[in-house]
């Protein structure tokens, strides 16, 4: 365990041998916040975990000394525990995927067989343009369903290992909107406190896919995209909140408690992995997702992602607008 002692100005005055060897810099005389910024990278798993330049994962705790004249910082090596946890999660998912393989094969066969049937009808020659157009659309619909099922499987098996980069928040919103351009109906998109220079450290493809999953579920619940609200809000606690709300029939509490479990579904079609994928994507970003609903009053899904990056000036605007 690395031990670092700070004075009342948070200047480092003492450090044990572990601290000196792990951080590989001259510690005495440095200010803690400067050292933390330069040598510790936030972990994507927990807010209290950080990654050193050497790759070591440490849990950080900071306590005020009894005489209130300084602080003590403890860095505990949790690299092995983190690796064991990831290995356990990996094995749990493999077990779930193995359990699901037979069901998945059946679900894939259904849209695939339908697409092949309509394709053979087109190949045999269809004289009526209306019927040919209908068959073509049926092929497209079944292939889309097949692609969705395979995508859900791959995303669930991803184990949270997404390549993340800094993406402008407004760009993310515009890219999400483009998914629904050209359709007969569109959800309503709203941004609150989102500054022009705000960025989010994310896998854009994975996050947009997760949000689309919630929007499509909302459409299924109320039978139309019209009235579905997707809101992006920058909160004062360094969190991006993404909510998707619908005006459907709502959910019972028993369903709310189980909807994020793998392979849960009350639909006749689908893998039952959609919301499990959403949960995995949000967890991989160090956040959480919750459902708020009541029978007869629709449902709201809320993602909270503690990975927002912004300038101090922008957060000043956010804080002032929230007063």
């Amino acid at each position: 365990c690395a031990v670092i002692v700070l004075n009342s100005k948070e200047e480092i005055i003492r450090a044990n041998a572990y601290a000196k060897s792990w951080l590989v810099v001259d510690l005495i005389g440095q200010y803690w916040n400067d050292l933390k910024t330069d040598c510790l990278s936030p972990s994507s798993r927990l807010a209290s975990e950080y990654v050193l330049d050497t790759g070591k994962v440490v849990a950080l705790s900071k306590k005020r000394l009894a005489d209130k004249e300084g602080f003590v910082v403890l860095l505990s090596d949790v690299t092995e525990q983190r690796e064991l946890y990831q290995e356990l999660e990996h094995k749990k998912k493999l077990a779930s995927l193995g359990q699901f393989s037979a069901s998945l094969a059946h679900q894939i066969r259904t849209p695939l067989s339908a697409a092949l049937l309509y394709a053979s009808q087109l190949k045999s020659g269809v004289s009526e343009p209306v019927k040919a157009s209908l068959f073509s659309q049926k092929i497209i619909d079944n292939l889309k369903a097949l692609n969705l099922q395979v995508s859900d499987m791959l995303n669930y098996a991803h184990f949270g290992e997404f390549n993340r980069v800094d993406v402008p928040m407004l760009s993310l919103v515009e890219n999400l909107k483009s998914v629904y351009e050209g359709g007969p109906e569109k959800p309503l998109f709203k941004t609150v406190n989102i500054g022009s220079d705000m960025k989010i450290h994310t896998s854009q493809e994975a996050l947009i896919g997760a949000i689309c999953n919630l929007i499509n579920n909302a459409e299924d619940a109320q039978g139309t995209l019209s009235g579905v609200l997707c809101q992006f809000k920058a909160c004062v606690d360094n969190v991006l909140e993404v909510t998707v709300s619908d005006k459907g029939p709502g959910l019972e509490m028993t369903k709310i408690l189980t909807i994020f479990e793998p392979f849960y579904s009350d639909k006749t079609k689908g893998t039952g992995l959609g919301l499990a994928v959403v949960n995995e994507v949000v967890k991989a970003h160090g956040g959480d997702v919750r459902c708020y609903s009541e029978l007869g009053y629709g449902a709201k899904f809320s993602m909270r992602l503690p990975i927002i990056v912004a300038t101090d000036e922008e957060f000043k605007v956010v804080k002032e607008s929230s007063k």
Side-chain angles (χ1 to χ4, degrees), residues 12 23 30-42 50-53 60:
I12 299 174
L23 297 171
Q30 286 205 49
Y31 286 97
W32 167 243
N33 284 337
D34 293 339
L35 178 73
K36 183 179 175 183
T37 300
D38 293 340
C39 300
L40 282 74
S41 301
Y50 293 83
V51 182
L52 305 182
D53 292 340
L60 185 153

Side-chain angles (χ1 to χ4, degrees), residues 249-265:
L251 297 167
E252 298 174 352
M253 181 56 67
T254 53
K255 288 188 177 181
I256 294 176
L257 296 175
T258 57
I259 53 177
F260 293 108
E261 294 179 3
F263 317 127
Y264 169 85
S265 179

Side-chain angles (χ1 to χ4, degrees), residues 85-97 159:
Y85 172 79
Q86 290 176 341
E87 184 178 349
L88 177 61
E89 288 293 299
H90 187 91
K91 289 181 178 179
K92 285 170 62 177
K93 287 186 179 180
L94 285 178
S96 296
L97 292 173
F159 309 113

Side-chain angles (χ1 to χ4, degrees), residues 152-171:
D152 280 349
M153 263 303 267
L154 291 174
N155 286 331
Y156 184 69
H158 217 292
F159 309 113
E161 297 172 0
F162 300 105
N163 293 322
R164 294 190 283 273
V165 296
D166 287 350
V167 178
M169 293 283 292
L170 294 178
S171 174

Side-chain angles (χ1 to χ4, degrees), residues 150-320:
V150 173
S151 295
D152 280 349
M153 263 303 267
L154 291 174
N155 286 331
Y156 184 69
H158 217 292
F159 309 113
E161 297 172 0
F162 300 105
N163 293 322
R164 294 190 283 273
V165 296
D166 287 350
V167 178
M169 293 283 292
L170 294 178
S171 174
L172 176 73
V173 176
E174 290 304 313
N175 289 335
L176 175 61
K177 286 182 180 180
S178 69
V179 175
Y180 297 92
E181 291 296 331
E185 297 175 339
K186 300 175 187 176
L188 174 63
F189 293 96
K190 183 178 180 180
T191 59
V192 180
N193 297 332
I194 304 296
S196 59
D197 292 334
M198 285 188 177
K199 296 181 180 180
I200 184 170
H201 192 64
T202 183
S203 165
Q204 184 170 212
E205 180 181 357
L207 185 56
I208 286 180
I211 298 171
C212 285
N213 206 314
L214 295 180
I215 292 174
N216 296 341
N217 281 351
E219 179 185 15
D220 290 341
Q222 62 179 34
T224 175
L225 270 176
S226 180
V228 174
L229 172 63
C230 179
Q231 176 175 285
F232 289 75
K233 180 180 180 181
C235 303
V236 295
D237 50 353
N238 255 32
V239 165
L240 169 67
E241 183 180 53
V242 183
T243 57
V244 176
S245 309
D246 66 63
K247 300 175 182 176
L251 297 167
E252 298 174 352
M253 181 56 67
T254 53
K255 288 188 177 181
I256 294 176
L257 296 175
T258 57
I259 53 177
F260 293 108
E261 294 179 3
F263 317 127
Y264 169 85
S265 179
D266 57 1
K267 301 177 183 178
T268 56
K269 295 182 179 180
T271 60
L273 284 174
L275 289 176
V277 169
V278 172
N279 191 37
E280 288 298 313
V281 170
V282 174
K283 281 171 56 181
H285 285 80
D288 66 81
V289 57
R290 300 182 184 182
C291 174
Y292 304 91
S293 184
E294 186 177 344
L295 281 177
Y297 294 94
K300 179 175 80 171
F301 285 82
S302 174
M303 296 179 178
R304 288 179 60 82
L305 306 168
I307 45 180
I308 192 167
V309 181
T311 64
D312 292 339
E313 187 64 28
E314 283 177 324
F315 272 122
K316 180 181 178 183
V317 173
V318 172
K319 291 178 181 178
E320 288 176 351

